[in-house]
Amino acid sequence: MVADLILEGGTIFGAPGANALAVRCGRIAAVGRAQDLLHLRGPATKIFHLEGRMLIPGFFDSHVHFLRVGLDHTFFVDLSGARSLGEALELLRMRAEARPGEWVLGRGWDESRWPEKRYLERADLDRVIPRQPCCAVRVDGHMMATNTLALARCVRPEGQFVDRDRGHLWEEAVAEVLALVRPEMETLVEAVAEASRHAASLGITSVTDMASPQDLPAYQIAEHRGLLRTRIFAYLSVEALPHLSALGLRQGFGSPSLRIVGVKAFVDGSIGAKTAALLEPYRGEMGRGRVLLGRGELARLWRKAMEAGLPMAIHAIGDRAIEEVLAAARLAGAGFHDRHRVEHVELPTPAQLDRMKDLGLIASMQPNFLQWSGPGRMYEDRLGPARDSRIDPHRWVLERGIPLAFGSDSMPMGPLYGMGLALSPPHPVQRVSWEEALRAYTSGAAYAAFAENELGDLSPGKWADMVVLSADPTKLPWEKVQVQATFLAGELVFNR
């Protein structure tokens, strides 16, 4: 056998004593010592010198909105860097001025980072953009601020996820307004390509995408054109379940680059939008958030999904929402080996985690959410110090042996960023070792997507999806580590 590629002269994660890896036909052919593998070299074999750096499996982001990542780079006004309410408004005003008569669409604002510490409102947007419809989606995607012209397009009555005085929409109302201004197909395809380029620069080779069925054509076109350089494992919205069932499309349908895994349902919203469902009220308020899907209806959908051979991914952030999920899992007869997932599972009680373990549920968590935890930050402001001290309890999850998959929810996409927060978090229950964090972002995520036989570690036979880190993280501070190079099926798709 002649190798297509040999990487040599560094540390191979998960293979003690090895310093080289050989690739053949897009898969890992051998792992070992360089002197043993270099005999696989032929005239066309490429050699990549690691120069003492570490080779790890490609990162697998277990929860993203992949198309949205691309649109954030190519279509929306990016408000994530706005340092004040005024700065966000100026960015939107500049877009309106550049494109008169068009909708102005922004995304990514986070009032917790602003000195004003308040949401965008209709009056703010009307003041700077009075003659064009304008809406701006909060960073979590669960809330939107609109001006009067955009709000006029919302057909929901007051109170049904709508506050017309402030121009605020939540949950389904957000999606309905955004659907009115969905980009053209070529814009969507370019967004897929941009998201894939961005993912490669972050060392991400696979994602579990919380997708809409309407996203699939753009993915397929991008795949056909060779623009999709990221493996997509899709959970489609639960509204697609009847269609998937009628077509007989079970878990695993698709290609090596684009695969349907299951369906996703929402039980609550977000802490930032104050729609996550809590057992106790938000700090200083009477509200406890909203249960969007109760245990009875969720159990009915869950049984339908299992009959169709499709696992569930269920969004549940607050402890009240998690309680609904656990009750529904019991009612539906969810099995230990079905690999159903709870997305985010941010505020579980220890007793709830014990029940998650007994039900065989996977914890799909986002360590980058720790950016909002700690003294003076949003979670403490919304929940108080006691609840903030136990939010995102990765340590509790690992101690119970619950399968853990790390993702980003695209806030922002970036495994090294999220892992760094989990290595030095504000509270002990959030802390993990770098090896635990890496496994959650590789093998743990692969297991959660039914892909552990193909991805997740650097063993022979698996896809040669790999990342070269700029330095060995055991020898340098984590913040100095970068992604040096990314390989997908043995092909170099990013090189710093």
Side-chain angles (χ1 to χ4, degrees), residues 279-290:
L279 292 172
E280 299 296 330
Y282 284 89
R283 188 183 192 185
E285 299 188 16
M286 296 299 294
R288 297 191 298 141
R290 311 181 187 204

Side-chain angles (χ1 to χ4, degrees), residues 196-389:
S196 205
R197 288 190 289 266
H198 184 55
S201 73
L202 300 170
I204 298 169
T205 54
S206 297
V207 299
T208 299
D209 186 33
M210 303 299 159
S212 162
Q214 289 74 36
D215 299 343
L216 295 180
Y219 290 150
Q220 289 179 302
I221 293 170
E223 181 185 24
H224 179 72
R225 294 180 184 174
L227 301 174
L228 180 61
R229 314 303 298 277
T230 313
R231 301 186 196 277
I232 294 179
F233 295 79
Y235 277 81
L236 302 180
S237 52
V238 74
E239 289 76 17
L241 179 55
H243 307 291
L244 296 171
S245 180
L247 291 169
L249 302 184
R250 302 173 69 85
Q251 185 282 122
F253 177 81
S255 70
S257 297
L258 179 58
R259 189 176 305 176
I260 293 172
V261 182
V263 292
K264 184 193 178 186
F266 285 86
V267 175
D268 68 348
S270 75
I271 293 169
K274 299 183 182 179
T275 53
L278 308 178
L279 292 172
E280 299 296 330
Y282 284 89
R283 188 183 192 185
E285 299 188 16
M286 296 299 294
R288 297 191 298 141
R290 311 181 187 204
V291 171
L292 304 176
L293 189 62
R295 63 186 67 182
E297 178 62 12
L298 178 58
R300 185 189 71 81
L301 291 170
W302 208 322
R303 284 191 290 267
K304 291 287 187 183
M306 289 193 293
E307 289 168 6
L310 294 164
M312 291 282 282
I314 304 170
H315 171 117
I317 283 178
D319 42 16
R320 185 157 62 110
I322 294 166
E323 190 63 31
E324 294 297 309
V325 173
L326 296 174
R330 186 73 69 186
L331 289 171
F336 193 85
H337 300 292
D338 294 333
R339 303 196 202 180
H340 302 296
R341 306 154 49 118
V342 185
E343 304 300 317
H344 314 307
V345 61
E346 283 208 83
L347 201 60
T349 66
Q352 287 175 333
L353 290 175
D354 291 338
R355 290 159 63 198
M356 274 189 66
K357 168 67 174 177
D358 292 341
L359 289 164
L361 299 174
I362 293 168
S364 170
M365 303 179 77
Q366 293 70 47
N368 51 305
F369 285 6
L370 296 177
Q371 65 185 292
W372 293 296
S373 180
R377 295 183 179 173
M378 184 186 70
Y379 286 168
E380 185 182 80
D381 177 67
R382 298 284 200 274
L383 305 171
R387 282 183 290 184
D388 177 58
S389 71

Side-chain angles (χ1 to χ4, degrees), residues 398 406 419 422-423 432-442:
L398 289 171
F406 271 172
M419 290 168 65
L423 296 182
V432 297
S433 70
W434 81 267
E435 293 94 341
E436 290 168 333
L438 181 57
R439 293 189 192 282
Y441 243 126
T442 53

Side-chain angles (χ1 to χ4, degrees), residues 27-68:
R27 294 185 181 268
I28 298 170
V31 180
R33 301 295 299 174
Q35 59 264 37
D36 299 323
L37 267 58
L38 286 175
H39 75 276
L40 301 175
R41 180 170 49 186
T45 301
K46 297 177 181 177
I47 304 295
F48 189 98
H49 300 289
L50 295 171
E51 298 177 345
R53 295 173 297 212
M54 179 175 282
L55 184 70
I56 64 171
F59 287 119
F60 195 140
D61 190 321
S62 193
H63 185 119
V64 297
H65 302 273
F66 197 68
L67 184 58
R68 193 184 84 192

